[in-house]
Amino acid sequence: MVDTLSASEPLEADEVHTPLDLEPKPRTAAIDVDWLGRDLLGTWAERRLAARAKAANPDYQRIPNQTMAEHRARTFGQLQLLVDDGAVLVAFPKELGGGDDHGGNIAGFEELVLADPSLQIKSGVQYGLFGAAVLHLGTTYHHETFLPPIMRFDVPGAFAMTETGHGSDVASIGTTATYDVGAEEFVIHTPFRGAWKDYLGNAAVDGIAAVVFAKLVTQGVDHGVHAFYVDIRDPETGEFLPGIGGEDDGFKGGLNGIDNGRLHFDHVRVPRLNLLNRYGDVAADGTYSSPIESPGRRFFTMLGTLVQGRVSLDGASAVASKAALAIAIRYGSERRQFNAASDVEEEVLLDYRRHQKRLFTRVAETYAMSYAHERLLTEFDGVFSGRTDTPEAREDLETLAAGLKSLSTWAALDTLQEAREACGGAGFLAENRLTLLRADMDIYATFEGDNTVLLQLVGKRLLGDFAKQFRGASAAHLAQFAAKEFAGRAAAQVGLHQVAQDVRDLGQPAPASRALRTTAVQRELLTDRVETMVAEIAGRLRHVPRGDAAKTAKAFNNVQNELIEAARAWAELQQWKALTEAVERMTGETARVMTWVRDLFALTLLERHLAWYLANGRLSGTRAKVVTSTIERLLVKIRPHALDLVAAFGLEDEHLRAPIASGAEGLRQAEAMAYYEEQRAAGTLPTPEKQAKRG
Amino acid sequence: MVDTLSASEPLEADEVHTPLDLEPKPRTAAIDVDWLGRDLLGTWAERRLAARAKAANPDYQRIPNQTMAEHRARTFGQLQLLVDDGAVLVAFPKELGGGDDHGGNIAGFEELVLADPSLQIKSGVQYGLFGAAVLHLGTTYHHETFLPPIMRFDVPGAFAMTETGHGSDVASIGTTATYDVGAEEFVIHTPFRGAWKDYLGNAAVDGIAAVVFAKLVTQGVDHGVHAFYVDIRDPETGEFLPGIGGEDDGFKGGLNGIDNGRLHFDHVRVPRLNLLNRYGDVAADGTYSSPIESPGRRFFTMLGTLVQGRVSLDGASAVASKAALAIAIRYGSERRQFNAASDVEEEVLLDYRRHQKRLFTRVAETYAMSYAHERLLTEFDGVFSGRTDTPEAREDLETLAAGLKSLSTWAALDTLQEAREACGGAGFLAENRLTLLRADMDIYATFEGDNTVLLQLVGKRLLGDFAKQFRGASAAHLAQFAAKEFAGRAAAQVGLHQVAQDVRDLGQPAPASRALRTTAVQRELLTDRVETMVAEIAGRLRHVPRGDAAKTAKAFNNVQNELIEAARAWAELQQWKALTEAVERMTGETARVMTWVRDLFALTLLERHLAWYLANGRLSGTRAKVVTSTIERLLVKIRPHALDLVAAFGLEDEHLRAPIASGAEGLRQAEAMAYYEEQRAAGTLPTPEKQAKRG
């Protein structure tokens, strides 16, 4: 049992405490902000710093309250600026003048969210989706023919995958590309309204071409989804080419610098060579061929080349969370509230326990997101550079990207909102950026894969890995499942003894608190939860008859909520591991404080899922209460280092651009205090009524 | 123990189930949508329907993607329209042509959120704050002099309470109003930048006058915050009057139809009679008098007259949540995803268990919010009509308003976001309203009192009520606290026996599920949690020395998180009670389904706080798992009634104005299916590659 693991860390002087002992100690030593800042920047630090220099340039920054048309025009111009700066070549092949630096490319683009998320996403559409599809799904002809004007932004393009009738479900799209052997052309066609391409950046106004995903049909056989390079507008007039039509998606909840729109095709003909044919080709005579035999695997391989979108959203979410926390914590460290104006020893907002819990738990989460993203980006770079490009590595990369992207895009929204509320009315003003950033990033939760759908993919992967353990041993397999399930129930009973033991522990929370702050106990608790949840779901699915699609679907529906929770638990574990590995590299006071941050992250996860740990006998009621009281103690320990922790995010005033985070509030408070001091000294301060009555 | 309460409800036929038995039954009977809809409209149904008729009128509706200036002008014009329609008189005195209908007035304004939240809040500023301050803080002279032009909107005004340096902390404002006995005038003055009035609607452009809150100083004594009627702009030129200056708060995260701004005063003189003198007056010779002796009570009495702002935000949040859920559930009942296009027996999104959990739990919460709001509005009307106007009733009203407003404004944001994500990319488009509504309502969480601050007020009231039980018995009082605390620990031990018993119950979840669905068990579990939490906090505070302000502040800070959670638990209990009382009035199939909705709400609360119930021995691990499995079963039961449940919200297409909720998606799906049917019939559907290989 986890609860009985002996703690290996020495007892700290402040370990034995009463609830009133939660005083922050004066900060005796400081963390090494410069070192920590460099460490957070990671492998592609130079790319990130270069991008941050751009984000600090007003030409790249959003102007609030522009009309949609003005904002679109500005973002378009910024894309051209990026080209002029040579910033867009990084990921493209060396032979085309590129840098072949896949990780560095993503790292740089992520930071552009500091300038304007519309800029990040518009360049993501052009280079990460449209250009990347030509690069990764096309072959030499396509690279040589189409990429140079794409890279120069001479040909803005749309990535025409999603359809009105099918969002994240790409396999079900309705658009067809039927091979006409006589003309040696594909005929791209939209058969009904639901098959219109929708929500496409660059489609409403700017797009000259598009990579269109359609079901490839040749010789009467439907070979599934493939990508085609299609010219859509006359570059001179901006008019749609014959057979092509579309609509503007119009004003959106955010990202209004991007011209999202719809496209439809009425028997539009493109040359046979416009099929991006890396994973599937059609010969002049109509014969289909592919290096990947299974249509299912082929489809997922093609889609897998587009994982970089998810990777970059994960990184951008970490960057946005850093900005939100830097703004709210700087403000909270100056803002005073609910104190007599005449009292000079007032507390600032950040001294309030609630404020600490709201913000510091999210600082810890953001550090975890940031280090987990670095691991994801490293895996991505390994696969896309070819160094570690195996089917297994690709599968692992996709699973990690799906899990981390889901958690971090939701976390960014949550953090931006909490920071907004923590700044009160000032947080609502556009000038302080939190509301507009949140509005822009809202869509991150459902684009490049709906988070709920992505977590189900992760969950199915976990189930698959679990099942692999029993492959080929069908009878043993069932027995194992059953044993596992029994083990789960047994654990609940074992928990009884533990609870009984803990009753004797009452009043001795220190050993429990210490145990909960060890790496081994945290790892055990977080890992055990993932494994147990997956085993339980597998157990619930074991009676489903093989090959019965309807019953399988129904059974999966009945465990859908649990499966998503298991996937979330797995992704949280990955974040915890990445943060722990990072902290283990640290030394001195930085290590000491960052260990508290890591502990706060772990304990926040335990608190979030405390019901599970209790219901499954992993933690006793007494221990559970220690989780919460230990969090409170960590908040107090972290308080003196809060400004340092956000300073290490490395964001300057030009990145935050929030008047409330500029020190103005501190100056106002000082002015107010000086006024009262002066009045008091001059004897001109009116007597409060209460005091006048007494006197 | 709750766990041993015997269940009084009869066993239903589907009560004994395996996990795979979660099939929705065909809907045998329907709820009475018309009756339920009328019931939801409540006491002031006619006022609500009249306001909804306005909200259905395009002249009152927001046009997305207007510039801030255009939006402001449009909202200003809509305020004039309201005057022309006679809609604004309802709350004002009969002798001035008003309706003296306080509840009805609020009910009507709440519904305007369906037209545009800017319209609701701009009229709230003019009538609920500026006009209401004159009405409730002024006396006959002010009513006769100032109210008629305010009611006609000839004098738009600002409610100048909040200052840059102090948000929710009104007692600490810096603005002063010093009585000049020679001139018989008050001198309104802003002594430093932090004392600028800020975030005031009508201040940036439209305001001709303002009710300014300032510390009243006369004869050298500071009598605390009072309100003054101050002209601020020349109505002809729109220029600030001498001594008055200001700034525009500019673009905001939402509510851009309102011209929020800042005001400051440089020794601005107003006649003595401009003091709104209901609760405090200054005679010509400078003598201060007040019907309320205690400055503290006087301050809270004055602020208490402004509770209607909180009441109306609570109601508007329920209205907005209804709209969000109606949109998402209508769409989810048509939208298909992740199904082979050729399969005509596809499921819609709403058949997915995750989708059900996301939306149905919020439907239940919205019903609870709506019925709880009706209770709040009734209390409000009782106090403001004078029928039940006692200090105790006012205090109860303020506590209930603070608790419910906090929960419902947060819930509206949560529901709008969940609905947005449940609608995917379509939910992000402005035309489908969810994102813009959410952006507007963001500020509801922190204006008219920051939710976190309001919950602390509720928490302190709960502690005060708890302490009253022991008043005057100081020794007994401590003993009681100690006993209570011990009782809490004892309960954890008693829990052991319960857990032991439940191990024997394994595999028999039906009785537990039935028990959890009884009113008595739910009431006991929800009430016990509030009482226990409050007693525990009181116990933790009992060692604080009386009269030591610093130690008291520190001790409160150490229990701040717990206090807020206790307040939340209390407000949730009020919601549950209101919903339960409403359901007890219902009959037939409506009662049956609405009981499931009530149970879903109760169980969602239990699931949210499951860790507490487990850690404190109120529920065993086994029972805890039954909470979650019972929720799953309720989702399946409610599924066939989902459209009816949102139809009872009574919102028409003109209120929702969301293309995705219009039936268009269903038509698109039908068109796609017909296309595939036709192709299949004609034999022109290409053969899938997989099938072609087999064949």
Side-chain angles (χ1 to χ4, degrees), chain A residues 333-349 351 664-682 684-685, chain B residues 163 165-166 172-174 191-195:
Chain A
S333 71
E334 295 182 352
R335 175 77 171 180
R336 293 170 201 282
Q337 188 75 290
F338 284 101
N339 297 289
S342 53
D343 178 354
V344 277
E345 297 293 327
E346 293 165 347
E347 288 191 320
V348 295
L349 283 187
D351 291 320
E665 177 65 22
L667 293 178
R668 283 194 295 263
Q669 302 278 355
E671 185 200 358
M673 276 191 226
Y675 169 82
Y676 287 115
E677 272 305 304
E678 198 181 293
Q679 294 277 310
R680 201 177 292 119
T684 51
L685 205 63
Chain B
E163 298 181 354
H166 294 283
S172 298
I173 57 172
F192 43 79
R193 174 62 186 84

Side-chain angles (χ1 to χ4, degrees), chain B residues 116-131:
Chain B
D116 183 353
S118 285
L119 172 60
Q120 187 218 349
I121 300 303
K122 178 110 176 169
S123 55
V125 168
Q126 177 69 11
Y127 300 106
L129 294 174
F130 173 59

Side-chain angles (χ1 to χ4, degrees), chain A residues 300-328:
Chain A
F300 285 109
T301 303
M302 287 198 258
L303 256 60
T305 62
L306 305 164
V307 72
Q308 66 179 295
R310 290 173 191 170
V311 175
S312 68
L313 296 190
D314 181 55
S317 297
V319 173
S321 295
K322 288 173 185 172
L325 290 165
I327 291 169

Side-chain angles (χ1 to χ4, degrees), chain B residues 1 31 50 80 113 138 157 220 289 452 486 507 586 622 631 638:
Chain B
M1 288 300 298
I31 61 178
Q80 198 55 61
V113 82
S289 63
T452 300
F486 175 77
M586 299 176 189
T622 309
I631 287 175
I638 289 169

Side-chain angles (χ1 to χ4, degrees), chain A residues 164 169 222-223 293 298 335 338 353-354 410 421 442 557-558 560-561 616 625 687 689 693, chain B residues 164 169 222-223 293 298 335 338 353-354 410 420-421 557-558 560 616 625 687 689 693:
Chain A
T164 303
D169 181 12
D222 174 353
H223 291 279
E293 183 67 14
R298 186 190 313 138
R335 175 77 171 180
F338 284 101
R353 201 58 41 76
R354 186 63 163 195
W410 273 329
E421 293 183 27
D442 180 359
N557 198 18
N558 284 332
Q560 190 180 26
N561 283 308
N616 291 278
K625 290 181 179 178
T687 314
E689 178 181 324
K693 280 177 179 163
Chain B
T164 304
D169 182 11
D222 175 353
H223 292 279
E293 184 66 14
R298 186 190 312 138
R335 175 75 171 181
F338 284 100
R353 201 56 42 76
R354 187 62 163 194
W410 273 328
R420 189 316 264 164
E421 293 183 27
N557 197 19
N558 284 334
Q560 190 181 28
N616 290 279
K625 290 181 180 178
T687 314
E689 179 183 324
K693 278 175 180 163

Side-chain angles (χ1 to χ4, degrees), chain A residues 213-274:
Chain A
F213 287 78
K215 288 191 165 163
L216 187 161
V217 178
T218 181
Q219 298 174 336
V221 175
D222 174 353
H223 291 279
V225 177
H226 287 66
F228 301 82
Y229 188 92
V230 183
D231 292 316
I232 60 168
R233 279 192 178 88
D234 181 324
E236 301 304 319
T237 66
E239 298 295 313
F240 277 127
L241 295 175
I244 297 175
E247 270 178 10
D248 195 324
D249 275 325
F251 194 55
K252 303 185 297 289
L255 293 185
N256 281 304
I258 303 167
D259 57 321
N260 293 84
R262 304 173 181 127
L263 293 177
H264 53 85
F265 305 89
D266 181 8
H267 298 94
V268 172
R269 290 179 167 266
V270 299
R272 180 178 65 93
L273 292 181
N274 281 27

